Amino acid sequence: MNLAAATNENLAEISNVLIYSAMAVYTLAFFAHIAEWIFGSRSKVGRTAAALTGSEAAPAAAPRIQVRGKQGGGTAVLDKPEIVTRSGPGVRDVPDGPGAAGGTVKGDLYGRIAISLTVLAFLVHVGGVLTRALSVQRVPWGNMYEFSTTFSMVVVGAYLGFLLAKKNVRWLGLPLVGTVLADLGLATTVLYTESDQLVPALDSYWLVIHVSTAIICGAVFYLGAVGTVLYLFRDFYEAKLARGGKPSAFATSVLERLPAAASLDKFAYRVNAAVFPLWTFTIIAGAIWAGDAWGRYWGWDPKEVWSFITWVAYACYLHARATAGWKGRKAAVLALVAFVCWLFNYYGVNIFVQGLHSYA
């Protein structure tokens, strides 16, 4: 028993070292993402500005494609059409920005370095979470510290998964790595808990089912929230240009590199809609677990109430997207309110509200 306890303690120490090491590499990735934004060229950004404002400075000519005809061996020259994001009636159709790197070799190099560092940090992060699990011989989300480290790991994993699927989401890198660092910093300082066994109420296979789905939902909701925030900034920017306004140099440099507002809105809606059924299952699984552990499926516990409030908020958002008068900014604000409900359900309820889930 003493040997086993010493082994578990060593594994817990290794886990702590790996988490801190992951934070160090995430910090390097954060600065690499900053370099990507700083050193990216403004040339393509300027062309986007011209397209949005309708100024005389037309965008650079689109690539031309030669198509050889079947008769006479002649060729026809066709203009390659510019790709824009098509939106609903009354919504601006503008091209996506060139990305944080601005379409240049130097900016792209820093971006690739940032992604490589993020992958390395993610692998170290996974090692830290797994060794924590080995030290307690259970799934590593039995308290807020473990939930936070696992949650941030899944967030990064989801982001890298989108990149692996060749989705245009590298613009998420800077805010994502920054918030992951903040989450890990909070976990290792305020929320840190020594390795220990579960309280009896948590010692159930439902811990694996219910909490794992909650972590996945939170990670995807987070990506949707970042997309929504950036959508609001980009939408205000495009609206100002459409009115003939002149944004600041900083806004021009940053916002014109992002995807179009319609693209950001579509991204946020799709990820939120895709994970909403899983959040519904999470609440149902929690109710079943409560029935097994406490003999009732619903007891108005603060965690239960705020989980349901979060569900209602996201349901309202998805319904608003299907209602013409609530599309765009109004629906985006609803999405942010829903994500704030999710955050409060995790941090606020667990820290400031007494209930049956206070042990977490």
Side-chain angles (χ1 to χ4, degrees):
M1 292 295 294
N2 291 335
L3 179 60
T7 301
N8 292 340
E9 185 176 346
N10 290 336
L11 286 172
E13 289 298 324
I14 293 173
S15 174
N16 294 340
V17 170
L18 288 174
I19 293 296
Y20 280 110
S21 299
M23 292 175 65
V25 184
Y26 278 130
T27 302
L28 295 177
F30 180 75
F31 286 116
H33 275 298
I34 291 177
E36 177 188 14
W37 281 92
I38 291 176
F39 294 107
S41 170
R42 269 70 168 177
S43 59
K44 288 191 176 182
V45 173
R47 297 176 203 158
T48 305
L52 290 174
T53 57
S55 62
E56 295 181 358
R64 301 171 73 84
I65 304 174
Q66 287 190 339
V67 180
R68 186 172 298 277
K70 294 182 179 179
Q71 297 180 352
T75 60
V77 179
L78 303 177
D79 288 333
K80 184 178 180 181
E82 183 181 17
I83 299 176
V84 298
T85 301
R86 292 294 173 189
S87 307
V91 181
R92 296 175 297 274
D93 285 334
V94 298
D96 289 334
T104 63
V105 174
K106 187 174 183 180
D108 185 63
L109 174 63
Y110 282 109
R112 291 179 183 275
I113 291 173
I115 295 300
S116 299
L117 289 170
T118 302
V119 172
L120 176 60
F122 172 72
L123 295 176
V124 178
H125 194 166
V126 170
V129 172
L130 289 179
T131 50
R132 175 76 177 201
L134 291 173
S135 72
V136 291
Q137 299 180 1
R138 56 170 172 77
V139 291
W141 48 73
N143 52 61
M144 290 185 67
Y145 166 75
E146 294 172 356
F147 186 99
S148 293
T149 54
T150 305
F151 168 73
S152 54
M153 180 192 73
V154 175
V155 167
V156 178
Y159 169 65
L160 296 178
F162 276 113
L163 290 177
L164 191 62
K166 300 188 183 302
K167 302 298 182 181
N168 177 26
V169 294
R170 204 162 88 180
W171 45 269
L172 272 170
L174 182 59
L176 178 135
V177 173
T179 49
V180 165
L181 276 171
D183 179 70
L184 289 178
L186 182 64
T188 54
T189 54
V190 178
L191 304 178
Y192 182 75
T193 304
E194 295 290 344
S195 298
D196 202 354
Q197 295 306 308
L198 296 171
V199 297
L202 289 180
D203 192 8
S204 169
Y205 61 88
W206 282 107
L207 177 69
V208 179
I209 300 172
H210 173 65
V211 183
S212 63
T213 55
I215 290 172
I216 294 171
C217 290
V220 179
F221 282 150
Y222 164 78
L223 296 181
V226 174
T228 301
V229 170
L230 294 179
Y231 155 75
L232 288 173
F233 280 109
R234 172 81 187 205
D235 186 61
F236 277 113
Y237 175 77
E238 290 179 8
K240 187 171 185 177
L241 286 178
R243 294 192 303 267
K246 186 177 181 181
S248 66
F250 177 79
T252 300
S253 174
V254 173
L255 295 178
E256 285 183 0
R257 302 197 208 184
L258 293 174
S263 296
L264 292 168
D265 185 42
K266 186 181 297 183
F267 168 80
Y269 170 68
R270 285 180 173 177
V271 297
N272 285 329
V275 81
F276 180 73
L278 186 61
W279 181 246
T280 304
F281 170 78
T282 301
I283 295 176
I284 295 172
I288 296 173
W289 187 9
D292 289 344
W294 301 315
R296 89 290 185 278
Y297 297 104
W298 183 265
W300 297 102
D301 182 72
K303 178 70 71 173
E304 297 169 351
V305 171
W306 276 96
S307 295
F308 182 68
I309 290 174
T310 303
W311 184 90
V312 171
Y314 274 108
C316 290
Y317 162 70
L318 295 175
H319 178 72
R321 285 293 308 242
T323 306
W326 275 84
K327 288 183 178 179
R329 297 178 190 174
K330 291 181 179 179
V333 170
L334 266 179
L336 292 181
V337 169
F339 184 68
V340 169
C341 290
W342 188 91
L343 285 179
F344 181 79
N345 184 37
Y346 172 54
Y347 289 105
V349 172
N350 284 15
I351 296 175
F352 303 112
V353 182
Q354 289 296 320
L356 292 174
H357 292 78
S358 298
Y359 46 68

